[in-house]
Amino acid sequence: MLLLALVLGALVGSSHCADSESSARLIVAKNVLNQFVVENKDLTIHYTIYNVGSSPASAVTLTEDSFPESAFQVVHGLSSIKWKSIAPGTNVSHSIILHPLKSGNFNFTAAKVTYKASEDGPVQVAYSTAPGEGGIMSNKDYQRKHSPHLVDWGLFSLMCIPTLLLPLMIWYRSHSKYENFKVKKN
């Protein structure tokens, strides 16, 4: 009886897998491409949609609602984009460039993708990976940590000149005094 139940379960599972593999399946990745996210500097978000199914996905729509207009300004790209279809075994990508308008912590949540797994099938919903919470650095802090500090180094060099020049002058006087003494002696 147990053996019959296992065989029946395996057959039902394999037929379910065969049905699901004959349709499209989308995997969506969302990545923040910047090493540092800084207020009022470009922030690039890259989306990649993979079709790992055996049939094309049709009426694919990527919608990004996690960047409110009060906190981000869209510089380039679209927050909602459509593809007629994505062939099996292929991928498509999309990028959007934003300017964060204020600093602080921000939760980069998932983007929503809707598609039809088959031409006459129902609309399915998929969500992208979520990069998670990240800090948006203020421009002042970024400049403090990552600028070349040319003025600071210039002032430091000017302050080092007296400490280097004074011993050099003392050495040169004594050296020239003894050199002149050697020349007179010979």
Side-chain angles (χ1 to χ4, degrees):
M1 191 70 164
L2 182 63
L3 183 61
L4 181 64
L6 286 173
V7 169
L8 185 60
L11 287 175
V12 168
S14 66
S15 68
H16 177 67
C17 287
D19 289 342
S20 66
E21 286 192 27
S22 66
S23 63
R25 288 184 40 213
L26 297 183
I27 297 174
V28 185
K30 175 181 178 179
N31 296 311
V32 177
L33 297 184
N34 296 54
Q35 185 175 4
F36 299 107
V37 180
V38 182
E39 133 186 68
N40 293 324
K41 294 208 180 264
D42 287 350
L43 166 64
T44 304
I45 308 293
H46 184 74
Y47 306 92
T48 307
I49 303 173
Y50 303 94
N51 184 354
V52 295
S54 60
S55 67
S58 59
V60 180
T61 303
L62 170 75
T63 307
E64 178 61 82
D65 294 328
S66 63
F67 298 109
E69 289 183 14
S70 62
F72 293 91
Q73 174 190 8
V74 177
V75 175
H76 186 66
L78 300 170
S79 59
S80 181
I81 189 165
K82 296 179 182 182
W83 290 273
K84 186 174 181 180
S85 69
I86 299 174
T90 62
N91 63 4
V92 294
S93 51
H94 175 68
S95 294
I96 184 170
I97 299 174
L98 308 163
H99 270 191
L101 299 176
K102 49 187 164 179
S103 61
N105 287 336
F106 184 76
N107 188 10
F108 295 96
T109 59
K112 180 180 176 182
V113 174
T114 58
Y115 67 99
K116 288 186 178 182
S118 58
E119 285 294 322
D120 55 347
V123 173
Q124 295 187 354
V125 177
Y127 292 95
S128 71
T129 56
E133 190 169 320
I136 299 173
M137 203 183 280
S138 71
N139 200 5
K140 184 178 178 180
D141 288 341
Y142 179 77
Q143 292 299 327
R144 185 179 308 136
K145 291 179 182 178
H146 300 286
S147 72
H149 302 285
L150 296 176
V151 172
D152 299 337
W153 282 109
L155 290 174
F156 175 75
S157 299
L158 285 174
M159 287 188 274
C160 287
I161 288 175
T163 61
L164 295 173
L165 204 56
L166 187 64
L168 179 66
M169 286 178 21
I170 292 171
W171 172 82
Y172 184 73
R173 277 188 157 176
S174 66
H175 179 70
S176 63
K177 180 177 164 183
Y178 288 113
E179 284 295 318
N180 289 339
F181 183 71
K182 279 185 178 180
V183 171
K184 286 182 183 179
K185 201 172 186 185
N186 288 332

